[in-house]
Amino acid sequence: MNAIVGAAVAARVAVLAVPGRTARRQLATGLRAAMVAAALAVAAPAQLLTTDAGVLSPALISARETVEWQHRSGADDLRATTRAAWSPDRRLQFEAGVPWIARDVDTAAAQGSTTGFGDLEFGAKWALVRDDAVMCSERLSLLGNVRLPTGDDDGRVGGVDLGRRAALGLGVHGFGAGVGWTTVRDRHRAAAALRGWTYTEDGGFAPGEAMTFDAAWWMRLHPVRFEPGVHENELRSVVELISGWQQDDRQGGVGQDNGGFYAKALVGLQANATAATSIEAGVLLPLYDDTASALGGFRVGVLVTFRVLF
């Protein structure tokens, strides 16, 4: 961002050097539009699920609505997750999000439907490295998360108890900590995030400790380059790896043999209708999964996200 400020000062000097009031006004308008577009391009995250290490400008508030359909061999989930993010400082960002879930279960053991809110999650980012220039950026941030048991933790479906993992919420508090990294080089962006999770215990149920690792790469397909004073709708391709490992849950001190490693691939597109609004869409595909779930194995997911910067 310091480079952007410096460029703004240089642009002001250049405007004053141009003869003629009308010409100066036209040049200033074009340069201002280019600088705003560049600042928002650096600030706006482009990956769909992987955490971006960048911190929002204190002048912006981000609102996101993600609608996601997930198909498992024994269940279908429709989730609508509302998220908001705000930064009181150039190095600190707070986030909050909560999903609404509609689930249809059809397994050999149980059939039925359930709807309601899931667990509320708060997040924070603290920027360790924030090196910004025009269409170029390096970010490294500490990540923290707290998950509250706001969702219904009753795992019964059609009178059959499928366990906490089949409920809308886990019924315990969760705490996550990790690190995120993002780099931007004009048309290309790469990001990665590593987190560890630990949970409290409730009613004899103790979720296993977990680690997640996500990575993303995107490329701006259009425009190839930005022209000063000209706004063009952006189109980006996105490829992500969503992976994790968890220990076995314990119920009454007995391991549930449901832990393991999983990996998914996400392929999608992001389109910016304006400098402050975007729509994202992606398909989530299984790569590997040796975890066990009462709802069956993951088969495919589709998600659409609407994002607005205020």
Side-chain angles (χ1 to χ4, degrees):
M1 194 64 68
N2 291 336
I4 295 178
V5 174
V9 174
R12 177 62 176 168
V13 173
V15 169
L16 293 176
V18 174
R21 180 177 299 177
T22 301
R24 286 198 299 269
R25 185 181 300 116
Q26 292 174 344
L27 179 59
T29 300
L31 287 172
R32 278 197 299 269
M35 295 304 296
V36 170
L40 287 173
V42 169
Q47 50 267 25
L48 276 65
L49 293 180
T50 303
T51 299
D52 183 81
V55 172
L56 280 172
S57 165
L60 299 174
I61 296 176
S62 172
R64 288 190 297 161
E65 185 69 27
T66 299
V67 179
E68 181 179 3
W69 169 72
Q70 286 194 9
H71 173 62
R72 290 180 170 272
S73 58
D76 286 284
D77 273 15
L78 182 63
R79 295 170 176 255
T81 304
T82 303
R83 297 183 180 90
W86 168 73
S87 298
D89 181 82
R90 291 181 62 233
R91 292 190 174 274
L92 178 62
Q93 177 177 315
F94 295 111
E95 304 173 356
V98 63
W100 181 87
I101 306 168
R103 176 175 294 153
D104 290 325
V105 179
D106 186 5
T107 69
Q111 297 80 40
S113 300
T114 182
T115 59
F117 287 101
D119 289 341
L120 174 64
E121 185 174 318
F122 294 99
K125 279 188 277 188
W126 177 259
L128 299 177
V129 176
R130 182 186 172 108
D131 185 9
D132 295 334
V134 178
M135 304 310 299
C136 179
S137 174
E138 293 288 343
R139 305 287 183 90
L140 182 68
S141 296
L142 295 178
L143 310 174
N145 298 82
V146 175
R147 192 170 292 167
L148 303 182
T150 56
D152 186 357
D153 62 1
D154 186 352
R156 288 177 295 180
V157 177
V160 179
D161 190 357
L162 297 180
R164 291 283 187 101
R165 292 283 181 178
L168 300 180
L170 283 180
V172 297
H173 291 79
F175 304 92
V179 62
W181 164 81
T182 300
T183 183
V184 178
R185 289 295 181 271
D186 192 11
R187 296 177 64 194
H188 302 273
R189 179 192 296 247
L194 176 67
R195 279 188 182 88
W197 284 90
T198 187
Y199 300 90
T200 59
E201 183 177 340
D202 176 72
F205 172 70
E209 310 292 307
M211 295 286 294
T212 63
F213 175 75
D214 303 330
W217 171 82
W218 66 258
M219 183 179 73
R220 191 179 69 244
L221 302 176
H222 176 82
V224 175
R225 62 178 55 87
F226 291 104
E227 299 296 335
V230 178
H231 170 73
E232 294 188 67
N233 294 337
E234 296 181 46
L235 180 64
R236 300 165 175 150
S237 61
V238 185
V239 178
E240 300 188 33
L241 171 69
I242 309 299
S243 66
W245 169 85
Q246 71 175 58
Q247 290 180 321
D248 293 340
D249 296 337
R250 300 186 68 82
Q251 181 68 55
V254 179
Q256 300 300 294
D257 296 324
N258 62 338
F261 175 79
Y262 66 87
K264 304 172 186 177
L266 176 64
V267 180
L269 292 172
Q270 182 192 62
N272 281 23
T274 68
T277 61
S278 68
I279 181 171
E280 306 161 356
V283 177
L284 197 59
L285 301 170
L287 296 177
Y288 179 84
D289 190 353
D290 63 3
T291 64
S293 171
L295 301 178
F298 176 79
R299 294 292 184 263
V300 67
V302 177
L303 62 91
V304 178
T305 297
F306 302 91
R307 187 194 309 268
V308 179
L309 294 173
F310 296 97

